[in-house]
Amino acid sequence: MSEGTSAGTTGNAAGQPADPGRGTGRAPAGWVLAGVGATAGAVVWVPRAAFSIDGGFEGHARDLSVIYVDLPLILLGGALLPFLAWTLTRRWVRSPWIAALAALAAVALGVWGLTEWWNPRQLPDPGYRGGL
C-alpha cells in the first residue's frame, strides 16, 4: 500500500480522500431546474410573440426579431436563473429541497419579471382596431 492511504478508503488521482456525498445528485437537479426555467420562458414567450411572428393583416406588422433576439435571450435567462439560484443556495445550505425551492422561486420571479418587462407589439399599428 502507498503511504497515506488505508485499506478502507479510496482516493482520487491526487491522493485526496474521496467524498462520497460530493457531486452526487447535485448537478442533475440543477440541470433539470435549468430545463424547467427555459421551458417556462418558452411557454410565456409563445402567446406574447405570436402576433409579431404572424404580422396581422397581410403580415405588415411582422417583427421576426422576437425569434432571433428575444427568444434566445429568454431561453438563456430562463435556464441560467434557476441554475444559478440552485448552485448558490447549495453552497450555503446542505438541504437540496431548500435549494430546489429557491430555484423554483427564481423561476417564478423570472416569469413575473418577463411578463412585466417584455411587451412585444400586439396591434398592427396605432389606431388600428380592426373592421372597416
Side-chain angles (χ1 to χ4, degrees):
M1 247 188 260
S2 66
E3 187 177 315
T5 61
S6 64
T9 62
T10 60
N12 59 15
Q16 299 169 344
D19 186 2
R22 184 137 177 100
T24 57
R26 293 198 316 181
W31 290 111
V32 167
L33 288 167
V36 167
T39 302
V43 166
V44 170
W45 175 83
V46 168
R48 295 173 72 93
F51 182 81
S52 294
I53 295 170
D54 179 35
F57 179 69
E58 294 183 350
H60 100 94
R62 181 170 288 150
D63 179 17
L64 296 180
S65 70
V66 296
I67 295 174
Y68 302 123
V69 177
D70 297 345
L71 178 61
L73 291 175
I74 289 170
L75 292 179
L76 182 66
L80 286 179
L81 190 64
F83 186 76
L84 290 175
W86 165 265
T87 304
L88 292 175
T89 306
R90 273 302 276 171
R91 288 182 186 256
W92 293 323
V93 180
R94 289 274 191 217
S95 174
W97 296 107
I98 294 174
L101 286 175
L104 291 176
V107 169
L109 287 173
V111 166
W112 173 76
L114 179 63
T115 58
E116 289 296 317
W117 169 75
W118 185 63
N119 294 312
R121 190 174 192 178
Q122 297 299 314
L123 294 174
D125 52 20
Y128 177 78
R129 297 287 181 240
L132 294 175

